[in-house]
Amino acid sequence: MNEAILLHEEGSDIFTMSLRYVQSDLNIDRQFNFNRRINEPISNFTRRIKTNIGLQVMKKMYCKQKKHSDFETPLSVLLNDTDNNHIKFVRDSSILDDNDTCKTILENSSNVKLIIFNTEYVLRQNIPFITKIELPSSILVDFPVYPSKFEGKNVNKLKSTFTWYKNEGKEWIQVGQDFLYVPCMSDIGSKLKISCVPRNDTECGPIIEITSNNAVQNGPVSCPFETRHAFTKYKLSGKSFRVTSYNILANIYSETQLSQETLYPYCPLYALSMDYRKLLILKELMGYKSDIICLQEVDNSVYKNDLQLALRVLHYDSIYNLKNDLREGLAIFYNQDRFDKLYSDYSVISQGVSLDDFNIILSKIENNNAKQTFGNRNTIIQILILRSKENPEILVIGNTHLYFLPIADHVRLLQAYYGLLYLRTYAKRVKNENPECNVSILYCGDFNSTPDKGIYQLMTQNYITKDHSDWRADPTEMVQDVVLTHDLNLSSACGIPEYTNFTATFSGCLDYIFYQTDYLAVEQVIPIPSKETLKTYTGLPSIVFPSDHLSLCVDLKWLK
């Protein structure tokens, strides 16, 4: 049975109709989409259908008649007939009046049929329907592939059915059934096709298929993060949970001329492309089997089309926040099987005027240049509050990416301190609301600060003196007579790695997972690759490392 799909949101004056028109003797098999207004006459709509489909038919007929002068089809007569009744909407055997508006079609559409020449369509309204589906341009052996774009109406992706095929000659052979598929060596040289039946809780929609533009290629023989996966073979449970923090290098930075020619000239251009790097990023993250994943430098499109879609299949939910007007931001993913989300929010640090303790500090800064630099930054901090499903424990998780300028240690110190007070404020509030639970803080991110600077001292020693060298990082923005202090017991879960950022011109520890030692302890730190391994391709990123940063991964456990 042929179907025409109607999509209309209540209150909207526009609706869409999609149908697949097949005419085998003309080799036509094409999807047609129409956007119309509900108050226009039906006659306008039917004329548009005849024009769009008729144009395709006429082209095919012309090609056929050039090759076969005696070619005839019944459609020839219908196309030349001025009678518009060859395209019509019918309800209970009665043709709908051309002067009626399209709103008439939408009312009780299940009783309406569409006749296009001699082909009959049943109308189905607001059923699951895929509006866009695409496969990535880069498909590698042993790396997950999935629809890089998947958009639809009334669709629950988790309930939809996906089937993967590869071509062998003219035949399509089924190779998988899931949203994700991992190509194997026998797939090399073959294109992939995915078939999807969109579903929701009550209905299913029309099947849609898409074929990859490129064939499966051999990927890197081995990526160093696969060695790290040997330490994360199993998911954690009970009082233990795994945390990953990772700056994944935003595409808006990696594909610039500066990156290609100055920052990472040693990295092949294809390996700087996000189409390539996202495959490595996903495989790396999936292999860690983490319960909480904090990401920095996440492109909006990569979050929406890749990370969110792929990780949701593995039962991760997430939050995402952009840095003001930039196209990249922060994301936190968490395992829904182990945690319930209580609350999430974010704050633009320079605009966070609601913290009294921080405002007191800010008021003591007399250097207007320093205040202006701090105030002009779009740095944000995310907060996600999770309750364990297995233990009387609540986590207050912060994720941030601090200002990068080398001479801005004083700005980063203030930003980190603001984030600390921000998390502490929420932790106290949550504790008051949930006195039966322990409440612990995790503070993750790319702090752009090495361990010899003030941030590490602030976190782990609770105190920054007024004469700390960070206050004098920029001679034009010196901060005087400011002391920072707090009462949280924090430690670096991964200790002090020699490096978490490693390029040809710089290597050092910039990333941290700070945890509250009152209620948490480190169970296992996933070791990072050796310096010799990193130098194999000069620096990061490379064909086996998708970012200029290394991910941090640690197993923590609740003490009580």
Short mmCIF file of all heavy atoms in Angstrom, two decimals, residues 155-186:
data_model
loop_
_atom_site.label_atom_id
_atom_site.label_comp_id
_atom_site.label_asym_id
_atom_site.label_seq_id
_atom_site.Cartn_x
_atom_site.Cartn_y
_atom_site.Cartn_z
N VAL A 155 9.68 10.56 16.26
CA VAL A 155 10.52 9.37 16.23
C VAL A 155 11.22 9.17 17.57
O VAL A 155 11.76 10.12 18.14
CB VAL A 155 11.58 9.46 15.12
CG1 VAL A 155 12.48 8.23 15.12
CG2 VAL A 155 10.92 9.61 13.76
N ASN A 156 11.19 7.95 18.08
CA ASN A 156 12.01 7.56 19.22
C ASN A 156 13.14 6.69 18.67
O ASN A 156 12.91 5.56 18.24
CB ASN A 156 11.18 6.79 20.25
CG ASN A 156 11.98 6.44 21.49
OD1 ASN A 156 13.19 6.23 21.43
ND2 ASN A 156 11.31 6.36 22.62
N LYS A 157 14.34 7.24 18.65
CA LYS A 157 15.47 6.53 18.03
C LYS A 157 15.72 5.19 18.70
O LYS A 157 16.08 4.21 18.04
CB LYS A 157 16.72 7.40 18.08
CG LYS A 157 17.94 6.75 17.45
CD LYS A 157 19.08 7.73 17.31
CE LYS A 157 19.55 8.23 18.65
NZ LYS A 157 20.18 7.15 19.45
N LEU A 158 15.53 5.14 20.03
CA LEU A 158 15.81 3.90 20.75
C LEU A 158 14.82 2.79 20.40
O LEU A 158 15.12 1.61 20.55
CB LEU A 158 15.80 4.16 22.25
CG LEU A 158 16.88 5.12 22.77
CD1 LEU A 158 16.75 5.32 24.27
CD2 LEU A 158 18.28 4.61 22.42
N LYS A 159 13.64 3.17 19.95
CA LYS A 159 12.64 2.17 19.58
C LYS A 159 12.66 1.86 18.08
O LYS A 159 12.02 0.91 17.63
CB LYS A 159 11.24 2.63 20.00
CG LYS A 159 11.06 2.72 21.51
CD LYS A 159 9.63 3.09 21.87
CE LYS A 159 9.46 3.18 23.39
NZ LYS A 159 9.63 1.86 24.02
N SER A 160 13.38 2.67 17.31
CA SER A 160 13.44 2.45 15.87
C SER A 160 14.34 1.26 15.54
O SER A 160 15.18 0.85 16.33
CB SER A 160 13.96 3.71 15.17
OG SER A 160 13.10 4.82 15.41
N THR A 161 14.13 0.71 14.36
CA THR A 161 14.86 -0.48 13.92
C THR A 161 15.87 -0.10 12.84
O THR A 161 15.50 0.56 11.86
CB THR A 161 13.89 -1.54 13.36
OG1 THR A 161 12.91 -1.84 14.35
CG2 THR A 161 14.63 -2.80 12.99
N PHE A 162 17.12 -0.53 13.02
CA PHE A 162 18.18 -0.22 12.07
C PHE A 162 18.79 -1.52 11.56
O PHE A 162 19.06 -2.43 12.35
CB PHE A 162 19.27 0.63 12.73
CG PHE A 162 18.78 1.95 13.25
CD1 PHE A 162 18.30 2.08 14.54
CD2 PHE A 162 18.79 3.08 12.43
CE1 PHE A 162 17.83 3.29 15.03
CE2 PHE A 162 18.33 4.30 12.90
CZ PHE A 162 17.85 4.40 14.20
N THR A 163 19.01 -1.59 10.26
CA THR A 163 19.65 -2.76 9.65
C THR A 163 20.74 -2.27 8.71
O THR A 163 20.52 -1.36 7.90
CB THR A 163 18.64 -3.61 8.87
OG1 THR A 163 17.53 -3.93 9.72
CG2 THR A 163 19.28 -4.90 8.39
N TRP A 164 21.92 -2.89 8.84
CA TRP A 164 23.08 -2.50 8.02
C TRP A 164 23.35 -3.55 6.95
O TRP A 164 23.21 -4.76 7.18
CB TRP A 164 24.33 -2.36 8.89
CG TRP A 164 24.30 -1.18 9.82
CD1 TRP A 164 23.75 -1.15 11.08
CD2 TRP A 164 24.81 0.12 9.55
NE1 TRP A 164 23.91 0.10 11.62
CE2 TRP A 164 24.56 0.90 10.71
CE3 TRP A 164 25.47 0.70 8.48
CZ2 TRP A 164 24.93 2.24 10.81
CZ3 TRP A 164 25.85 2.03 8.56
CH2 TRP A 164 25.58 2.79 9.71
N TYR A 165 23.77 -3.06 5.77
CA TYR A 165 24.11 -3.94 4.65
C TYR A 165 25.44 -3.47 4.05
O TYR A 165 25.80 -2.30 4.16
CB TYR A 165 23.03 -3.88 3.56
CG TYR A 165 21.65 -4.24 4.02
CD1 TYR A 165 20.81 -3.27 4.57
CD2 TYR A 165 21.16 -5.54 3.89
CE1 TYR A 165 19.53 -3.59 4.99
CE2 TYR A 165 19.87 -5.87 4.30
CZ TYR A 165 19.07 -4.89 4.85
OH TYR A 165 17.80 -5.21 5.26
N LYS A 166 26.12 -4.41 3.40
CA LYS A 166 27.27 -4.04 2.57
C LYS A 166 27.05 -4.62 1.17
O LYS A 166 26.35 -5.63 1.00
CB LYS A 166 28.58 -4.57 3.16
CG LYS A 166 28.76 -6.08 3.07
CD LYS A 166 30.15 -6.49 3.52
CE LYS A 166 30.34 -8.01 3.41
NZ LYS A 166 31.69 -8.43 3.80
N ASN A 167 27.63 -3.97 0.18
CA ASN A 167 27.43 -4.46 -1.18
C ASN A 167 28.54 -5.43 -1.57
O ASN A 167 29.71 -5.24 -1.28
CB ASN A 167 27.36 -3.31 -2.18
CG ASN A 167 28.70 -2.61 -2.37
OD1 ASN A 167 29.38 -2.27 -1.41
ND2 ASN A 167 29.09 -2.41 -3.63
N GLU A 168 28.14 -6.52 -2.19
CA GLU A 168 29.06 -7.46 -2.82
C GLU A 168 28.60 -7.59 -4.27
O GLU A 168 27.64 -8.30 -4.56
CB GLU A 168 29.05 -8.81 -2.10
CG GLU A 168 29.66 -8.76 -0.72
CD GLU A 168 29.77 -10.14 -0.08
OE1 GLU A 168 29.33 -11.12 -0.72
OE2 GLU A 168 30.32 -10.23 1.04
N GLY A 169 29.27 -6.85 -5.14
CA GLY A 169 28.79 -6.75 -6.51
C GLY A 169 27.48 -5.97 -6.52
O GLY A 169 27.39 -4.88 -5.98
N LYS A 170 26.45 -6.58 -7.08
CA LYS A 170 25.14 -5.94 -7.13
C LYS A 170 24.23 -6.37 -5.98
O LYS A 170 23.10 -5.90 -5.86
CB LYS A 170 24.45 -6.25 -8.46
CG LYS A 170 25.18 -5.67 -9.67
CD LYS A 170 24.41 -5.94 -10.96
CE LYS A 170 25.12 -5.32 -12.15
NZ LYS A 170 24.37 -5.59 -13.43
N GLU A 171 24.73 -7.25 -5.13
CA GLU A 171 23.95 -7.76 -4.02
C GLU A 171 24.23 -6.97 -2.74
O GLU A 171 25.34 -6.48 -2.52
CB GLU A 171 24.27 -9.23 -3.77
CG GLU A 171 23.94 -10.15 -4.94
CD GLU A 171 22.46 -10.26 -5.16
OE1 GLU A 171 21.71 -10.31 -4.16
OE2 GLU A 171 22.03 -10.30 -6.33
N TRP A 172 23.21 -6.83 -1.91
CA TRP A 172 23.36 -6.21 -0.59
C TRP A 172 23.23 -7.30 0.48
O TRP A 172 22.20 -7.98 0.56
CB TRP A 172 22.32 -5.12 -0.36
CG TRP A 172 22.61 -3.87 -1.15
CD1 TRP A 172 22.07 -3.50 -2.34
CD2 TRP A 172 23.54 -2.84 -0.80
NE1 TRP A 172 22.59 -2.31 -2.77
CE2 TRP A 172 23.50 -1.87 -1.84
CE3 TRP A 172 24.40 -2.63 0.27
CZ2 TRP A 172 24.28 -0.72 -1.83
CZ3 TRP A 172 25.18 -1.48 0.29
CH2 TRP A 172 25.12 -0.54 -0.75
N ILE A 173 24.28 -7.46 1.27
CA ILE A 173 24.35 -8.50 2.29
C ILE A 173 24.18 -7.88 3.67
O ILE A 173 24.88 -6.92 4.02
CB ILE A 173 25.70 -9.26 2.24
CG1 ILE A 173 26.02 -9.70 0.80
CG2 ILE A 173 25.68 -10.44 3.20
CD1 ILE A 173 25.01 -10.62 0.19
N GLN A 174 23.25 -8.40 4.47
CA GLN A 174 23.04 -7.86 5.82
C GLN A 174 24.24 -8.17 6.70
O GLN A 174 24.74 -9.29 6.73
CB GLN A 174 21.78 -8.46 6.46
CG GLN A 174 21.49 -7.89 7.84
CD GLN A 174 20.19 -8.44 8.43
OE1 GLN A 174 19.23 -8.71 7.70
NE2 GLN A 174 20.18 -8.59 9.74
N VAL A 175 24.71 -7.11 7.44
CA VAL A 175 25.89 -7.29 8.29
C VAL A 175 25.65 -6.87 9.74
O VAL A 175 26.48 -7.15 10.61
CB VAL A 175 27.09 -6.51 7.73
CG1 VAL A 175 27.57 -7.13 6.43
CG2 VAL A 175 26.76 -5.03 7.53
N GLY A 176 24.56 -6.17 10.03
CA GLY A 176 24.34 -5.74 11.41
C GLY A 176 22.94 -5.23 11.64
O GLY A 176 22.22 -4.88 10.70
N GLN A 177 22.56 -5.18 12.91
CA GLN A 177 21.25 -4.67 13.31
C GLN A 177 21.38 -3.86 14.58
O GLN A 177 21.29 -4.39 15.67
CB GLN A 177 20.25 -5.81 13.52
CG GLN A 177 19.66 -6.36 12.23
CD GLN A 177 18.50 -7.31 12.49
OE1 GLN A 177 18.61 -8.22 13.31
NE2 GLN A 177 17.39 -7.09 11.82
N ASP A 178 21.63 -2.57 14.43
CA ASP A 178 21.71 -1.68 15.58
C ASP A 178 21.97 -0.27 15.02
O ASP A 178 22.27 -0.11 13.84
CB ASP A 178 22.84 -2.07 16.52
CG ASP A 178 22.55 -1.69 17.96
OD1 ASP A 178 21.72 -0.78 18.16
OD2 ASP A 178 23.15 -2.28 18.88
N PHE A 179 21.86 0.73 15.88
CA PHE A 179 22.16 2.09 15.44
C PHE A 179 23.64 2.22 15.08
O PHE A 179 24.00 2.94 14.15
CB PHE A 179 21.78 3.08 16.54
CG PHE A 179 22.01 4.52 16.17
CD1 PHE A 179 21.14 5.17 15.31
CD2 PHE A 179 23.08 5.23 16.68
CE1 PHE A 179 21.33 6.50 14.96
CE2 PHE A 179 23.29 6.55 16.34
CZ PHE A 179 22.40 7.19 15.48
N LEU A 180 24.49 1.53 15.84
CA LEU A 180 25.93 1.54 15.59
C LEU A 180 26.35 0.25 14.88
O LEU A 180 25.82 -0.82 15.17
CB LEU A 180 26.70 1.64 16.90
CG LEU A 180 26.60 2.93 17.71
CD1 LEU A 180 27.20 2.72 19.09
CD2 LEU A 180 27.28 4.06 17.00
N TYR A 181 27.29 0.37 13.99
CA TYR A 181 27.88 -0.81 13.36
C TYR A 181 29.40 -0.61 13.32
O TYR A 181 29.88 0.49 13.04
CB TYR A 181 27.34 -1.02 11.94
CG TYR A 181 28.05 -2.12 11.17
CD1 TYR A 181 27.98 -3.44 11.59
CD2 TYR A 181 28.82 -1.81 10.04
CE1 TYR A 181 28.63 -4.45 10.91
CE2 TYR A 181 29.48 -2.82 9.34
CZ TYR A 181 29.39 -4.13 9.77
OH TYR A 181 30.04 -5.14 9.10
N VAL A 182 30.14 -1.67 13.61
CA VAL A 182 31.60 -1.62 13.57
C VAL A 182 32.08 -2.45 12.39
O VAL A 182 32.00 -3.68 12.42
CB VAL A 182 32.22 -2.13 14.88
CG1 VAL A 182 33.75 -2.05 14.80
CG2 VAL A 182 31.72 -1.33 16.08
N PRO A 183 32.55 -1.80 11.31
CA PRO A 183 33.00 -2.55 10.12
C PRO A 183 34.19 -3.45 10.45
O PRO A 183 35.03 -3.13 11.31
CB PRO A 183 33.41 -1.45 9.14
CG PRO A 183 32.68 -0.23 9.60
CD PRO A 183 32.61 -0.34 11.09
N CYS A 184 34.27 -4.57 9.75
CA CYS A 184 35.38 -5.51 9.92
C CYS A 184 36.22 -5.57 8.64
O CYS A 184 35.89 -4.94 7.63
CB CYS A 184 34.87 -6.89 10.30
SG CYS A 184 33.71 -7.59 9.11
N MET A 185 37.29 -6.35 8.67
CA MET A 185 38.22 -6.39 7.55
C MET A 185 37.54 -6.83 6.26
O MET A 185 37.88 -6.35 5.17
CB MET A 185 39.38 -7.35 7.88
CG MET A 185 40.31 -6.84 8.99
SD MET A 185 41.22 -5.35 8.52
CE MET A 185 42.29 -5.99 7.23
N SER A 186 36.57 -7.73 6.36
CA SER A 186 35.91 -8.23 5.16
C SER A 186 35.02 -7.17 4.50
O SER A 186 34.55 -7.37 3.38
CB SER A 186 35.06 -9.47 5.49
OG SER A 186 34.05 -9.15 6.43
#
